[in-house]
Amino acid sequence: MKTIRLTMAQAVVRYLAAQRSEIDGKEVPLVAGTFAIFGHGNVAGMGEALAAATDVLPTYRAHNEQSMALAAIAYAKAKNRKQFMAATTSIGPGATNMVTAAALAHVDRLPVLLLPGDIFASRLPDPVLQQIEVYGDPTLSVNDTFKPVSRFWDRIMRPEQILQSLPQAIRVLTDPADCGPVTLCLPQDIQAEAYDYPVEFFEKRKHRLRRPAPDAREVADAAEALRNAKRPMVILGGGVHYSEAVAEARAFLSKHGLMAGESQAGKGALNWDDPHNLGSVGVTGSSAANTLASDADVVLAIGTRLQDFTTGSWALFKSKPKLIQLNVAAYDAWKHNALPLVGDARVTLPLLSAALGDWKVPADRAARGTAEIARWRGAVDAVTAAPKGNALPSDAQVLGAVNRKSAPTDVVVNASGGLPGEMHKLWKTRDPKGYHMEYGFSCMGYEIAGALGVKLAQPERRVLALIGDGGYMMMNSEIATSVMMGAKIDIVVLDNGGFGCINRLQQACGGRPFNNLLVDAHRKMDVPIDFAAHAAAMGAIAEKVGSIAELEAAMDKAKTSDRTHVIVIDTDPMISTQEGGAWWEVAVPEVSTRKEVEAARKSYEKQMAARAGE
Ligand SMILES: Cc1ncc(C[n+]2csc(CCOP(=O)(O)OP(=O)(O)O)c2C)c(N)n1
Ligand SMILES: [Mg+2]
């Protein structure tokens, strides 16, 4: 057997560079690059290997391990999981900084290869800098915290172990049902240790995301349930994008006259003005989707995890419909006692359609959907229109302006605060990948890091990040990275003086305004934060605007800027769109000295009783 003598780190890099994917018939690298922040845990081993391989596996330098991994994850989301990135860190804090990103990828079912450095396998120099020392278990390091948030986790204790582990890592990263973060912990001494690896291990390999066909009996059962439906509806989730089943979903709805609500991850599968698009569904849903959901007798959910924002904490479907779950993951297909239809959406939808024959939605149901859609679209236009007076604009008015000033193929990125709800309801999508929302983990700070990842994935598109002041303060340093890399993003910061949405939630739960807006926090001094100056200090072009008209002008200007452009606008912290929406279960205290809390508790108990059908 022909072998080649490499360090473990060199072998990891060589193997990753040999993995290929295919996009639109063209062969591309499966691993598009590596984000790296070096320390003693990875600079000598991984650092040496990466430096020698920049032509086949480019390395990017970021400013924070969490945000670099978030950028890597956003990259994979933008690529519909067909390409992904790796992220390597030192040991200790460098590694644990990345745990939040691992959890996000785990929730969102997105591939990312995490390569934290680890303590010495030999244990000879123990305890090393940043080693935690677990008294009763010397096998533990901080990297064990990745275990519950990794779909595959391993610690490489001998260089030859990667011969087994790397193929398993790639299996998980390219498996549509099992997809998620993979963590390979790389002890510093083993990274540097050499081994005679078989040359064939590094041969080029092409990977395709598998498209499992459904069981014919499950298709027949699902078709029968739909055929008997009087008031059906469809929910489109992120799986529609990841299986690249947008065209199939549109054809399915159109042939059978079905109408669909979109989850956050599913939004964009239909253009906003598609006659079959009921809009967003759930807690941040349109009145159209939620009205049809409330008396549906059969719900076909396609590629969705059905998290509580989509189901209104399971209170949305008041008539307790039969649920059909079309999902590539049996785990999801079995949720909530659903009729499972396990398979790839792109393969399964045409089969389900064929089984339905020329069945069409009852005419009265279709007419009702059409009327509800017209009503909802009127509401959207009203709340997103430019304001007349001089009052502080609402988030809805800001996103309306950004939407008007963006092109169909621009990508808007968001994750947290009050914006996801507003955007889910109100953003008019005109391209399947134009709406990039991270709402499985809703991680503050994803916006800027994520926008960088999207820009690396789709350099030909304009990428717009919308972010609250809270999200900005939590994580913004990749602005500097975007400037340095020439990966221009346009960022709109909505400054409402703090955690606006949690402040509103707090009061809805009977609480007094406390510790959310900066004015309600413990403070001795009033320190206004100059976001534009802050962004400019990192090399961005930055400006503050005073009105929606100025925002629109700045959006035009930003389009032609040669680098990352940040626009800051003050917004009203108390306004959110009241139209649409549904109950969301947030537990309210059973006893309190505040009568507002007691009232909120009563209403909470009423909602729980309603959900239980009492
Ligand atoms: C990392 C992280 N920490 C805490 C939260 C809980 N949380 C959700 S929204 C929010 C406030 C966000 O503030 P901002 O970005 O200013 O948006 P706004 O609510 O004002 O619209 C908080 C603290 C979160 N989602 N992510
Ligand atoms: Mg805010």
Side-chain angles (χ1 to χ4, degrees), residues 113-198:
L113 176 60
L114 306 175
L115 303 169
D118 213 329
I119 51 177
F120 278 80
S122 74
R123 300 189 191 155
L124 289 174
D126 281 12
V128 297
L129 177 70
Q130 301 168 331
Q131 179 169 348
I132 51 170
E133 291 193 274
V134 179
Y135 294 173
D137 189 348
T139 68
L140 291 179
S141 82
V142 294
N143 288 344
D144 288 82
T145 58
F146 283 96
K147 278 185 180 168
V149 288
S150 297
R151 292 253 179 239
F152 181 82
W153 184 99
D154 199 2
R155 178 177 280 125
I156 307 301
M157 298 297 278
R158 295 174 60 91
E160 62 269 40
Q161 283 175 352
I162 61 166
L163 295 169
Q164 311 292 346
S165 216
L166 277 173
Q168 292 298 329
I170 298 297
R171 168 186 66 78
V172 170
L173 290 160
T174 59
D175 183 326
D178 214 18
C179 188
V182 166
T183 304
L184 297 181
C185 311
L186 308 178
Q188 149 172 188
D189 49 344
I190 308 303
Q191 283 177 46
E193 195 170 320
Y195 181 78
D196 295 309
Y197 291 96

Side-chain angles (χ1 to χ4, degrees), residues 66 100 395 416-419 441-445 447 467-472 474 494 496 498-502 504 516-517:
Q66 183 188 141
T100 299
D395 290 356
S416 67
L419 277 166
F441 215 45
S442 187
C443 184
M444 288 169 74
E447 290 84 353
I467 186 165
D469 55 303
Y472 182 97
M474 202 165 275
L494 290 79
N496 59 6
F499 303 154
C501 71
I502 307 297
R504 294 193 297 272
N516 281 310
L517 296 185

Side-chain angles (χ1 to χ4, degrees), residues 458-514:
Q458 295 174 316
E460 70 286 0
R461 292 192 183 209
R462 184 184 188 187
V463 179
L464 300 156
L466 295 191
I467 186 165
D469 55 303
Y472 182 97
M473 288 303 286
M474 202 165 275
M475 221 183 311
N476 52 57
S477 53
E478 304 318 340
I479 287 178
T481 312
S482 78
V483 173
M484 180 173 85
M485 290 177 66
K488 173 189 185 285
I489 50 184
D490 293 338
I491 302 169
V492 180
V493 182
L494 290 79
D495 182 5
N496 59 6
F499 303 154
C501 71
I502 307 297
N503 176 53
R504 294 193 297 272
L505 177 63
Q506 183 170 52
Q507 288 169 66
C509 294
R512 71 176 166 91
F514 167 63

Side-chain angles (χ1 to χ4, degrees), residues 358-501:
D358 52 12
W359 174 82
K360 258 187 148 17
V361 167
D364 58 334
R365 179 70 170 175
R368 183 146 163 254
T370 303
E372 288 291 345
I373 287 172
R375 206 139 50 117
W376 172 248
R377 289 186 187 158
V380 171
D381 287 340
V383 296
T384 53
K388 298 261 168 357
N390 285 330
L392 277 181
S394 63
D395 290 356
Q397 288 163 343
V398 170
L399 79 85
V402 174
N403 192 260
R404 286 190 293 278
K405 285 293 172 185
S406 60
T409 52
D410 293 352
V411 186
V412 69
V413 182
N414 182 244
S416 67
L419 277 166
E422 300 295 299
M423 307 245 311
H424 193 209
K425 282 181 182 176
L426 308 171
W427 186 265
K428 293 180 175 173
T429 50
R430 295 150 287 169
D431 177 271
K433 295 302 278 183
Y435 183 82
H436 184 117
M437 179 66 69
E438 189 288 293
Y439 208 62
F441 215 45
S442 187
C443 184
M444 288 169 74
Y446 178 89
E447 290 84 353
I448 292 168
L452 171 62
V454 174
K455 188 67 186 176
L456 295 180
Q458 295 174 316
E460 70 286 0
R461 292 192 183 209
R462 184 184 188 187
V463 179
L464 300 156
L466 295 191
I467 186 165
D469 55 303
Y472 182 97
M473 288 303 286
M474 202 165 275
M475 221 183 311
N476 52 57
S477 53
E478 304 318 340
I479 287 178
T481 312
S482 78
V483 173
M484 180 173 85
M485 290 177 66
K488 173 189 185 285
I489 50 184
D490 293 338
I491 302 169
V492 180
V493 182
L494 290 79
D495 182 5
N496 59 6
F499 303 154
C501 71

Side-chain angles (χ1 to χ4, degrees), residues 197-482:
Y197 291 96
V199 167
E200 63 172 37
F201 185 62
F202 305 105
E203 275 166 16
K204 267 193 189 180
R205 282 193 64 168
K206 194 150 95 187
H207 304 274
R208 295 185 194 89
L209 294 177
R210 196 173 301 112
R211 293 194 177 281
D215 186 306
R217 294 161 299 182
E218 290 190 357
V219 175
D221 287 353
E224 193 190 325
L226 270 172
R227 255 197 308 269
N228 291 327
K230 303 271 177 298
R231 298 178 308 279
M233 83 173 284
V234 175
I235 297 176
L236 301 175
V240 175
H241 293 285
Y242 301 141
S243 90
E244 302 195 314
V246 164
E248 286 72 14
R250 291 177 181 187
F252 181 80
L253 296 175
S254 146
K255 177 175 168 207
H256 302 292
L258 282 157
M259 290 185 187
E262 293 175 322
S263 76
Q264 283 278 22
K267 190 169 161 104
L270 304 177
N271 284 340
W272 73 275
D273 56 355
D274 187 306
H276 304 278
N277 191 356
L278 295 162
S280 54
V281 64
V283 176
T284 53
S286 72
S287 57
N290 286 355
T291 303
L292 264 70
S294 70
D295 70 351
D297 59 355
V298 175
V299 172
L300 170 63
I302 307 173
T304 165
R305 301 162 54 231
L306 293 178
Q307 69 140 313
D308 63 354
F309 261 79
T310 309
T311 63
S313 303
W314 291 113
L316 184 60
F317 311 108
K318 294 198 179 63
S319 51
K320 308 274 176 254
K322 186 185 282 287
L323 180 63
I324 306 164
Q325 273 267 65
L326 163 51
N327 207 293
V328 74
Y331 179 87
D332 292 309
W334 274 73
K335 278 180 182 165
H336 215 65
N337 210 20
L339 204 56
L341 177 52
V342 179
D344 171 71
R346 185 158 163 181
V347 171
T348 305
L349 280 171
L351 296 174
L352 182 59
S353 187
L356 282 169
D358 52 12
W359 174 82
K360 258 187 148 17
V361 167
D364 58 334
R365 179 70 170 175
R368 183 146 163 254
T370 303
E372 288 291 345
I373 287 172
R375 206 139 50 117
W376 172 248
R377 289 186 187 158
V380 171
D381 287 340
V383 296
T384 53
K388 298 261 168 357
N390 285 330
L392 277 181
S394 63
D395 290 356
Q397 288 163 343
V398 170
L399 79 85
V402 174
N403 192 260
R404 286 190 293 278
K405 285 293 172 185
S406 60
T409 52
D410 293 352
V411 186
V412 69
V413 182
N414 182 244
S416 67
L419 277 166
E422 300 295 299
M423 307 245 311
H424 193 209
K425 282 181 182 176
L426 308 171
W427 186 265
K428 293 180 175 173
T429 50
R430 295 150 287 169
D431 177 271
K433 295 302 278 183
Y435 183 82
H436 184 117
M437 179 66 69
E438 189 288 293
Y439 208 62
F441 215 45
S442 187
C443 184
M444 288 169 74
Y446 178 89
E447 290 84 353
I448 292 168
L452 171 62
V454 174
K455 188 67 186 176
L456 295 180
Q458 295 174 316
E460 70 286 0
R461 292 192 183 209
R462 184 184 188 187
V463 179
L464 300 156
L466 295 191
I467 186 165
D469 55 303
Y472 182 97
M473 288 303 286
M474 202 165 275
M475 221 183 311
N476 52 57
S477 53
E478 304 318 340
I479 287 178
T481 312
S482 78

